[in-house]
Amino acid sequence: MTKVTLTVNGKTVSKSVEGRTLLSSLLRDDLHLTGTHIGCDTSQCGACVVHVNGEAVKSCTMFAAEADGAEVKTIEGMANADGSLSTIQAAFKEHHGLQCGFCTPGMVMSAAALLKDNPKPSEAEIREYLEGNLCRCTGYHNIVKAIMAASGQDVPAVAAE
């Protein structure tokens, strides 16, 4: 067992974990932050995206011990301090950027990372950035609209295919 200490959504936590424990498992099973979804365990779907030291990471591909000393933000940490939805979350809601909701936490976390690095991305840049996030329900059009709206840009009536 290895003791890891990390800051998750602004709170410092310490846990003893096996060397094989994935960050996604630590978040879900030990810290009960179940908004981080596990869809594939092979880094294909992006449902498990969290931010580690400000960078988007697929948490099913990172060992918990690798996050020792890191700052981790999950979907639960995305809301505003007063509990209201963040700009990105509100845009996903307003523009129907979700259906079943399974991919939504990873999409929101990826969108936040994209907008941090590229505050005004084009539709093509959004689509390229989201290549590592799979959605089986929406067809991505409304997700692209939501990200454009969150960036403060005009939202096209119909997103490009």
Side-chain angles (χ1 to χ4, degrees), residues 31-127:
L31 302 180
H32 309 291
L33 296 170
T34 57
T36 300
H37 293 164
I38 300 172
C40 67
D41 277 333
T42 59
S43 80
Q44 302 298 309
C45 74
C48 67
V49 172
V50 298
H51 296 174
V52 177
N53 294 329
E55 298 295 322
V57 171
K58 291 182 178 178
S59 62
C60 76
T61 63
M62 182 177 192
F63 290 115
E66 292 178 285
D68 188 36
E71 291 202 20
V72 177
K73 183 182 256 188
T74 69
I75 191 68
E76 290 90 349
M78 288 298 292
N80 294 318
D82 66 0
S84 63
L85 297 177
S86 70
T87 300
I88 296 168
Q89 291 171 310
F92 267 71
K93 179 181 176 185
E94 180 180 341
H95 294 278
H96 309 289
L98 56 104
Q99 279 185 359
C100 82
F102 193 81
C103 72
T104 305
M107 288 285 188
V108 168
M109 299 305 289
S110 292
L114 168 62
L115 295 178
K116 181 186 95 174
D117 294 339
N118 183 354
K120 300 285 185 197
S122 67
E123 283 186 56
E125 289 170 325
I126 293 169
R127 288 178 184 282

